[in-house]
Amino acid sequence: MAEDNNQTTRRQHWETVYQTKPVEQLSWFQKDAGMSLRFVRQAQLPDKAHIVDVGGGTSVLAGVLLRENATWSISVLDISAASLHHARASLGDLAHRVQWVEADVTQWRPDFAADLWHDRAMFHFLVAEGDRKAYADTLRTVLRPGGHAIIATFSLHGPTQCSHLPIVRYDASTLLAAIGDGLTLRDQCVMQHQTPSGKVQEFQFCLMQRV
Ligand SMILES: C[S@@+](CC[C@H](N)C(=O)[O-])C[C@H]1O[C@@H](n2cnc3c(N)ncnc32)[C@H](O)[C@@H]1O
């Protein structure tokens, strides 16, 4: 599908970020994915579950999940080819066990169903209502009934920008409302993320389930 200007600009922004800045200096960098793993465990996924990490970037989550359960099937989707290239290289021998998907989530037409949707710090960049609706439609298309979604955004006390882009801040109820019908909130928490430069950013994590 052809990209509009908005999507091209978005892609170029993220390509530049990942091509010009060391991963360990990105504000969202974390050495482990502890809070995500806590909610993944809570979802009690079966063997052979399919997990998609949306806007996964260079996150360590894919490797963490493969070590948690070797039967799980992991897809990492990102708009930036450079981020996927880096993530793939850092996974070494495990990289072939991951499906790498270069796509804009607002345009993505998945060809598989997932048991778990994970998104840390991607959804909050969607400041246009049409993009948020496209995201929610995709989520509902890919997530099986009964499947879980873990979505983390900046909280109402978090920063108003990330990577020099405006973001939308959420608490659990506004996030659930933004994602729309068909999901129910199972758990939520706020956490303080320490950036590599020592700043603290408050995140809202939500565990939702498709009903
Ligand atoms: C703040 S980073 C978070 C990366 C990762 N989830 C983590 O926790 O380390 C946001 C990520 O979302 C990706 N992204 C931004 N907009 C996107 C879109 N519309 N579709 C897919 N990925 C997108 C960016 O390339 C970037 O990797």
Side-chain angles (χ1 to χ4, degrees):
M1 187 178 293
E3 288 189 340
D4 63 26
N5 284 344
N6 184 21
Q7 283 142 14
T8 305
T9 308
R10 191 146 63 197
R11 185 181 299 278
Q12 284 166 350
H13 171 85
W14 290 106
E15 283 296 44
T16 304
V17 167
Y18 284 110
Q19 284 168 4
T20 55
K21 222 168 167 187
V23 166
E24 299 74 18
Q25 288 176 21
L26 299 170
S27 61
W28 53 91
F29 172 78
Q30 52 177 6
K31 283 198 182 116
D32 65 53
M35 188 58 75
S36 296
L37 187 58
R38 175 192 137 179
F39 283 116
V40 170
R41 287 180 174 157
Q42 212 173 322
Q44 297 190 305
L45 300 174
D47 283 349
K48 301 193 175 161
H50 195 161
I51 302 172
V52 56
D53 188 17
V54 176
T58 52
S59 167
V60 296
L61 183 66
V64 168
L65 295 174
L66 285 171
R67 283 185 283 276
E68 179 76 1
N69 186 324
T71 73
W72 286 347
S73 162
I74 317 291
S75 299
V76 176
L77 174 139
D78 205 280
I79 198 168
S80 157
S83 77
L84 295 176
H85 182 76
H86 187 285
R88 194 191 292 242
S90 58
L91 258 186
D93 291 346
L94 288 178
H96 71 281
R97 306 259 314 276
V98 175
Q99 218 186 316
W100 305 98
V101 183
E102 185 191 331
D104 184 323
V105 71
T106 63
Q107 295 285 295
W108 183 41
R109 297 291 172 266
D111 57 2
F112 58 80
D115 301 283
L116 178 74
W117 172 284
H118 177 273
D119 167 359
R120 172 178 177 268
M122 196 257 107
F123 179 68
H124 63 195
F125 289 104
L126 301 180
V127 294
E129 190 169 350
D131 284 342
R132 288 194 292 272
K133 185 178 175 314
Y135 176 105
D137 286 347
T138 305
L139 189 159
R140 270 189 295 276
T141 305
V142 74
L143 195 61
R144 293 181 204 284
H148 290 80
I150 298 165
I151 303 181
T153 65
F154 283 160
S155 80
L156 297 184
H157 303 292
T160 54
Q161 285 201 338
C162 181
S163 188
H164 306 290
L165 296 174
I167 59 95
V168 182
R169 300 183 294 179
Y170 295 93
D171 62 13
S173 61
T174 54
L175 185 55
L176 190 67
I179 300 298
D181 296 336
L183 288 146
T184 188
L185 186 67
R186 291 291 179 218
D187 200 4
Q188 58 93 20
C189 76
V190 291
M191 70 154 309
Q192 311 297 326
H193 164 65
Q194 182 151 0
T195 72
S197 67
K199 294 196 181 108
V200 173
Q201 300 177 331
E202 191 173 279
F203 273 78
Q204 171 71 56
F205 271 75
C206 288
L207 174 66
M208 303 172 189
Q209 187 169 19
R210 187 163 172 215
V211 285

